[in-house]
């Protein structure tokens, strides 16, 4: 009976979203109401329910503040660099441009900024090509394939701190299954192209497959020579430059000038983010000792500063800023509510109890529960930080009890949780909110089902094959 009460909010949330009978906000509000009985009954003796829920709500708001500000900053930056109508209308949909916009360009921006900004940029580019609806939303979510390195890896760093293992080693362990999954996403993208009415020729499939293999190799090799925070940028940035050159090489002095103008904001943003990352002693707002603080060098601050400077340089900057912030309102509300739900479940002990019960149900197959629980944690929490905060210690303990190598369970959880976060309730709701055409999360999950299944299968293969 207790497990049913604890699982009730997730069952209700999933049921409402999958059935399509409620949108993201009503569904999560219903889940919050359903979470109260299980959360209260799961508290340790003597704990005051009202005090704990208020505290976890405040913690959730603090955790949500960073992704909300990053998403809003990403929209402001995009508004600042977007060309006017005629230039955007000239973009023609093609398999190569879709590939560059999602698995390369979107993934690169996600590595730089994190918090689903890569998906926001990918979606905008796809819509400029005339691709809309569920196929566009699902393609945009493919940009979130390097979430463990997104925003320079705060979730991976948090997971390492919680388990007491070196972050570089956890990231390296995460890279192996993530690289295999990345290669498997080629056929997923081609399936989505077909759903959007874009045919991918065999020759193009071969090229894209080779590029994905190069990206996978770079992702694995980078951890041997550079800090893990930059691995995602290297793995996506080098192939991105090569394919952009092939798509539209600069011609003549005017071509180089246009290319420089186009690339300058992105290069400037990347440089500013890397410089901010190097500012190790930046002042930080840290109201909770056990949660990552909000430093002045955070990606959100950099995005707002760079976007603000670019918008000030435009005559219509104020109007663009107002429109961008208006678009950010609904996704911000959805993200806040989902993070609060995750904190209620984690802080009350419900998340841990459900994970332990699920692991116990697997019995001798417990090691194979790690990627399943990781995927579920990411889907619910909506972020790598949230997934690792909720279940990384439990997963590490599960791996140790099952006799797994020390890095395997944390690395698999980091991979599967991050993959789930990229297709989570919160992120799919945000993408549907940006589409604003009636597309529901369940439509995106149906199209991405091969990707979701691949996460679990790759995780199980890692359990079997890890040395």
């Amino acid at each position: 009976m207790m497990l049913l009460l604890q699982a009730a909010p997730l069952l209700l949330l999933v049921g409402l979203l999958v059935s399509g009978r409620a949108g993201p906000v009503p569904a999560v509000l219903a889940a919050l109401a359903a979470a109260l009985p299980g959360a209260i009954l799961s508290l340790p003796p003597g704990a005051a329910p009202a005090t704990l829920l208020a505290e976890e709500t405040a913690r959730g708001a603090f955790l949500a503040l960073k992704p909300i500000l990053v998403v809003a900053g990403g929209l402001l930056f995009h508004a600042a660099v977007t060309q006017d109508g005629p230039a955007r209308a000239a973009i023609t949909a093609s398999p190569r441009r879709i590939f560059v916009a999602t698995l390369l360009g979107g993934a690169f921006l996600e590595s730089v900024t994190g918090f689903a900004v890569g998906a926001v940029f990918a979606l905008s580019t796809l819509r400029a090509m005339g691709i809309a609806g569920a196929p566009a939303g699902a393609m945009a979510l493919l940009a979130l394939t390097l979430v463990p390195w997104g925003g320079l890896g705060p979730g991976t760093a948090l997971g390492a701190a919680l388990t007491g293992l070196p972050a570089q080693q956890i990231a390296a362990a995460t890279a192996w299954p993530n690289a295999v999954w990345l290669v498997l996403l080629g056929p997923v993208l081609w399936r989505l192209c077909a759903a959007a009415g874009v045919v991918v020729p065999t020759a193009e499939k071969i090229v894209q497959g080779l590029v994905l293999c190069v990206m996978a190799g770079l992702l694995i090799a980078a951890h041997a020579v550079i800090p893990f925070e930059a691995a995602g940028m290297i793995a996506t940035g080098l192939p991105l430059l090569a394919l952009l050159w092939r798509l539209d090489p600069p011609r003549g002095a005017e071509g180089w000038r246009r290319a420089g103008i186009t690339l300058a904001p992105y290069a400037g943003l990347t440089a500013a983010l890397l410089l901010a990352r190097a500012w190790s002693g930046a002042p930080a707002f840290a109201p909770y000792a056990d949660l990552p603080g909000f430093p002045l060098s955070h990606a959100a601050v950099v995005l707002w500063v760079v976007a603000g400077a670019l918008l000030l340089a435009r005559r219509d900057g104020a109007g663009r800023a107002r429109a961008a912030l208006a678009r950010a309102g609904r996704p911000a509300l959805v993200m806040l509510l989902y993070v609060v739900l995750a904190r209620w479940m984690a802080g009350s002990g419900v998340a841990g109890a459900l994970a332990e019960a699920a692991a116990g149900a697997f019995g001798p197959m417990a090691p194979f529960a790690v990627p399943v629980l990781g995927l579920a944690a990411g889907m619910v929490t909506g972020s790598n930080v949230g997934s690792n905060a909720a279940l990384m210690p439990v997963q590490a303990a599960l791996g140790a009890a099952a006799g797994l190598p020390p890095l395997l369970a944390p690395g698999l959880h980091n991979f599967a949780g991050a993959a789930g976060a990229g297709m989570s309730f919160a992120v799919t709701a945000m993408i549907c909110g940006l589409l604003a055409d009636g597309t529901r999360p369940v439509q995106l999950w149906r199209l991405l089902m091969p990707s979701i299944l691949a996460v679990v299968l790759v995780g199980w293969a890692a359990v079997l094959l890890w040395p």
Side-chain angles (χ1 to χ4, degrees), residues 8-331:
L10 297 183
L11 295 175
L12 180 60
L13 181 66
V14 172
L16 289 174
L17 290 174
V18 170
S19 69
R21 299 193 177 193
V25 173
V28 72
L29 288 174
L32 283 166
L36 285 172
I40 292 172
L41 292 175
S42 300
L43 295 177
T51 301
L52 183 133
L53 291 177
E55 175 73 7
E56 293 302 333
T57 300
R59 286 169 173 264
F62 173 68
L63 285 175
L65 178 64
K66 288 180 278 188
I68 287 172
L69 289 179
V70 169
V71 168
L75 289 170
L76 285 170
F77 180 81
H78 182 260
V81 301
T82 299
Q83 298 298 322
D84 293 327
R88 288 173 58 81
I91 300 176
T92 302
S94 71
R96 180 69 57 87
R97 293 188 184 278
I98 292 172
F99 178 69
V100 168
T102 56
L103 287 172
L104 278 176
F108 171 76
L109 287 169
E110 182 64 19
S111 298
V112 175
T113 61
F115 299 110
V117 170
V120 174
F121 279 95
L123 180 62
S124 179
T125 304
L126 292 167
R127 295 178 76 177
M129 296 182 197
I131 301 173
M139 288 179 187
L141 291 176
L142 293 184
L144 308 182
T145 56
L146 298 179
V147 170
W149 300 270
L152 308 183
T156 298
L158 174 64
L162 291 173
T163 58
L165 296 169
Q168 188 77 14
Q169 293 183 23
I170 288 183
T174 303
W176 283 93
N178 212 118
V180 175
W181 182 53
L182 180 62
V183 173
L184 295 177
L185 291 179
V188 176
L189 178 60
W190 305 332
R191 177 173 178 264
L192 296 176
C193 286
V198 178
V199 177
V200 185
T202 300
E204 179 63 21
K205 291 179 180 179
I206 293 173
V207 171
Q208 293 184 15
L210 290 174
V211 172
L212 289 173
C213 289
V214 169
M215 292 171 62
L218 288 172
L219 183 65
I220 293 171
H223 291 85
V225 293
I226 63 173
F228 80 91
E229 293 93 336
M233 298 172 60
I234 295 298
T236 55
L238 296 179
L240 175 62
L241 286 175
L243 262 67
L244 285 176
W245 181 277
R246 294 281 296 178
L247 273 173
D248 190 15
R251 301 184 186 278
E254 180 61 23
W256 280 103
R257 188 186 71 83
R258 286 198 306 269
I261 292 174
T262 300
L263 293 176
Y266 298 98
L269 175 62
T270 303
L273 286 164
L274 290 175
L275 287 173
R277 184 66 176 83
W279 186 11
S280 58
F285 174 52
Y288 305 102
D290 58 337
L291 294 179
F294 194 169
L296 195 59
S297 57
H298 193 272
V301 178
V302 176
L303 272 170
W304 278 73
V305 170
V306 173
L310 293 171
L311 287 167
L312 285 174
R314 302 194 65 130
R315 293 182 179 178
D316 58 346
R320 287 173 175 259
R322 284 193 297 269
L325 292 177
R327 292 179 63 199
R330 183 175 177 81

Side-chain angles (χ1 to χ4, degrees), residues 132-139 142 187-189 191-196 423 439-452:
M139 288 179 187
L142 293 184
V188 176
L189 178 60
R191 177 173 178 264
L192 296 176
C193 286
M423 298 178 283
T439 299
R440 298 279 187 169
V442 65
Q443 296 173 264
L444 305 184
W445 291 326
R446 285 172 183 162
L447 289 173
L448 290 171
M449 188 54 65
S451 175
I452 296 172

